[in-house]
């Protein structure tokens, strides 16, 4: 250990100092020691240590000088010691403060460099995604009907049997209820009415006419549910667009013309349409609309020479059900069946999408495999 380091713990007498002119060199030595130490105090922990070592109230170097040199000094030395000590204290305090300021601004600077935003870095490009194909087809269908004066309305997926069946002229025990294997909702005993997942969008015919006097021209896109086992053409949830037009002078020609216009807009002007008699309790007459097979152009023959697998050689593909609104339905909504007439149709969106885009499995719409979805950006 440097013997001079110990000087402050001894009295001047013990150090053999008796003359005032020896004092300044003694203090110069201490000051040099401080200067060497403060240079090494370049961060906060070291700065703290240095501060305590020098300015500590009880055993800091300056406190020791006061106790060991100043207090017991002889009257001849006291003045000189007091003056030098004051000078040293001023020096130590100002250097320690200087050092604190330097450390603080240094850490601010390094925090600034750490947090600086580098505007020249390339950004993170996130894929934007796209509408599901079913949503795109909904949009196409809506655009076509809106362009000829229909408006778009939506309705509840949870329905009462009244709207799903009765008001559509399907009384309890009517056999068509069997064709629409229905999901009923478990309700507490005593619930005012049973509830079900709508099996078609037709309940919105009733809800619309209840709210609105003729003329009515609406389409209703939405999800519907039936207790089907999933396979390539069946799903327990699927999508429909309902259409309803009611006015005082709507004819069967308006009906077929509208449907034909839609089909040509949707599939292209080359397709042909036909309708066959069918049955729905809420339309009379009822029809089933077919389009000429989009895959074989209506010939029934595949390009390979065999029978077209899509239309099974028929040249026609069944598209959707429709008809003129049955007058019995008007009775449920307080329309005067003698004054108004109209038509209604219900199309399966999944089926339309499968036909238009050549998709042979309805399940791909629900699996949401991005390899499928990316094909329809
Ligand atoms: N709602 C019928 C169904 O889902 C389709 C339909 C709608 C038929 C409107 C005629 C009129 O099968």
């Amino acid at each position: 250990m440097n013997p001079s380091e110990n000087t402050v713990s001894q009295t001047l007498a013990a150090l053999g100092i008796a003359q005032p002119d020896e004092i300044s060199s003694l203090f110069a030595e201490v000051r040099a020691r401080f200067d060497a130490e403060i240079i090494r105090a370049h961060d906060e922990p070291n700065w703290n240590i240095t501060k305590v070592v020098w300015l500590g109230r009880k055993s800091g170097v300056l406190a020791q000088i006061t106790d060991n040199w100043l207090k017991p000094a002889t009257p001849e030395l006291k003045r000189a010691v007091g003056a030098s000590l004051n000078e040293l204290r001023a020096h130590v305090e100002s250097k320690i403060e200087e050092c604190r300021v330097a450390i603080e601004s240094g850490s601010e600077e390094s925090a600034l460099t750490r947090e600086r935003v580098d505007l020249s870095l390339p950004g993170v490009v996130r894929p934007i995604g796209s509408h599901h194909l079913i949503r795109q087809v909904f949009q196409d269908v809506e655009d076509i009907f809106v362009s000829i004066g229909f408006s778009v309305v939506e309705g509840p997926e949870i329905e009462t049997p009244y709207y799903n069946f009765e008001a559509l002229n399907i009384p309890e025990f009517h056999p068509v209820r069997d064709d629409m294997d229905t999901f009923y909702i478990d309700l507490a005993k005593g619930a005012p009415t049973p509830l079900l997942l709508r099996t078609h969008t037709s309940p919105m015919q009733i809800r619309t006419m209840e709210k609105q006097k003729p003329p009515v021209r609406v389409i209703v896109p939405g999800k519907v549910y039936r207790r089907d086992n999933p396979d390539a053409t069946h799903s327990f949830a699927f999508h429909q667009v309902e259409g309803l037009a009611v006015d005082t002078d709507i004819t069967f020609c308006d009906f077929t013309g509208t449907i034909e216009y839609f089909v040509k807009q949707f599939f292209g002007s080359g397709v042909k349409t036909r309708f066959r008699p069918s049955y729905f309790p809420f339309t009379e007459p009822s029809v089933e609309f077919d389009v000429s097979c989009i895959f074989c152009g209506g010939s029934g023959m595949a390009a390979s020479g065999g029978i077209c697998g899509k239309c099974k050689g028929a040249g026609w593909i069944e598209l959707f059900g429709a008809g003129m609104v049955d007058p019995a339905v008007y009775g449920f909504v307080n329309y005067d069946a003698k004054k108004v007439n109209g038509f209604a149709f219900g199309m399966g969106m999944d089926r339309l999408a499968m036909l238009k885009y050549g998709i042979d499995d309805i399940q791909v719409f629900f699996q949401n495999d991005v390899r499928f979805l990316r094909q329809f950006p």
Side-chain angles (χ1 to χ4, degrees):
M1 203 205 321
N2 181 347
S4 70
E5 275 183 21
N6 240 351
T7 52
V8 298
S9 60
Q10 299 171 48
T11 59
L12 296 178
L15 290 168
I17 288 166
Q19 300 302 320
D21 53 3
E22 289 171 288
I23 297 295
S24 60
S25 68
L26 191 60
F27 272 93
E29 212 176 89
V30 178
R31 183 180 164 134
R33 213 176 95 206
F34 169 77
D35 287 345
E37 274 179 36
I38 193 72
I39 288 174
R40 290 197 299 270
H42 39 61
D43 58 16
E44 207 186 317
N46 279 309
W47 176 85
N48 266 326
I49 292 169
T50 310
K51 185 178 170 198
V52 171
V53 165
W54 287 86
L55 296 175
R57 272 160 144 274
K58 276 213 181 110
S59 47
V61 174
L62 295 187
Q64 289 187 58
I65 292 177
T66 309
D67 289 347
N68 301 328
W69 293 359
L70 182 69
K71 285 183 183 165
T74 56
E76 305 87 74
L77 292 181
K78 209 161 213 154
R79 257 184 87 99
V81 173
S84 292
L85 178 56
N86 282 344
E87 218 174 89
L88 178 65
R89 182 183 301 282
H91 176 71
V92 167
E93 282 175 351
S94 84
K95 280 284 171 199
I96 280 184
E97 175 60 11
E98 221 172 76
C99 184
R100 184 190 66 79
V101 171
I103 288 169
E104 255 175 28
S105 71
S107 64
E108 258 165 39
E109 229 167 68
S110 58
L112 271 181
T113 21
R114 239 183 294 123
E115 285 158 21
R116 181 172 299 145
V117 177
D118 182 352
L119 296 176
S120 68
L121 274 178
V124 180
V125 182
R126 301 192 194 284
I128 295 172
S130 59
H131 282 142
H132 191 282
L133 183 59
I134 293 293
R135 178 55 51 202
Q136 295 181 31
V137 172
F138 266 134
Q139 194 62 56
D140 290 349
V141 172
E142 287 171 23
D143 287 348
I144 295 169
F145 280 105
V146 166
S147 77
I148 52 173
F150 283 74
S151 39
V152 181
V153 294
E154 284 182 81
E157 289 173 21
I158 295 177
E159 268 297 6
T160 61
Y162 176 78
Y163 286 107
N164 199 78
F165 296 126
E166 269 113 71
L168 286 163
N169 203 26
I170 313 174
E172 212 172 350
F173 308 118
H174 192 291
V176 300
R177 288 207 189 189
D178 296 344
D179 298 337
M180 292 197 179
D181 300 275
T182 309
F183 288 113
Y184 282 88
I185 293 184
D186 269 342
L187 294 175
K189 265 213 167 70
T193 166
L195 290 175
L196 49 82
L197 295 181
R198 66 178 176 191
T199 58
H200 51 176
T201 41
S202 302
M204 275 306 285
Q205 291 189 28
I206 306 301
R207 288 184 179 278
T208 306
M209 289 189 283
E210 273 183 349
K211 270 212 216 105
Q212 181 183 336
K213 291 281 147 220
V216 170
R217 264 192 294 278
V218 292
I219 56 165
V220 189
K223 275 201 213 79
V224 300
Y225 303 86
R226 288 182 202 178
R227 265 192 55 203
D228 274 327
N229 289 324
D231 64 21
T233 52
H234 294 88
S235 163
F236 50 79
F238 56 104
H239 305 86
Q240 286 189 334
V241 170
E242 189 83 9
L244 175 70
V246 180
D247 206 342
T248 45
D249 50 6
I250 289 189
T251 65
F252 199 82
C253 282
D254 295 321
F255 166 44
T256 55
T258 305
I259 299 293
E260 225 179 282
Y261 174 79
F262 163 73
V263 168
K264 286 191 194 304
Q265 289 289 310
F266 186 78
F267 286 110
S269 53
V271 297
K272 289 198 275 297
T273 54
R274 74 171 188 188
F275 48 91
R276 294 172 287 116
S278 183
Y279 173 75
F280 298 100
F282 39 94
T283 47
E284 180 61 35
S286 300
V287 301
E288 205 71 55
F289 252 92
D290 296 345
V291 282
S292 53
C293 179
I294 294 112
F295 301 97
C296 65
S299 68
M301 305 293 284
S304 59
I307 279 177
C308 171
K310 303 288 181 181
C311 63
K312 312 222 160 50
W316 294 95
I317 288 183
E318 192 181 308
L319 252 198
F320 54 81
M324 299 302 286
V325 177
D326 192 308
V329 172
Y330 295 131
F332 288 95
V333 295
N334 288 325
Y335 275 19
D336 186 344
K338 290 203 183 72
K339 289 203 180 117
V340 294
N341 37 40
F343 62 84
F345 54 86
M347 318 189 271
M349 281 303 100
D350 311 82
R351 195 170 161 70
L352 283 189
M354 288 167 78
L355 288 173
K356 184 161 178 176
Y357 295 98
I359 294 160
D360 53 15
D361 186 354
I362 194 174
Q363 300 303 328
V364 294
F365 293 139
F366 305 102
Q367 288 158 350
N368 284 335
D369 185 330
V370 286
R371 289 169 301 179
F372 168 74
L373 299 176
R374 281 203 187 115
Q375 294 174 48
F376 306 97

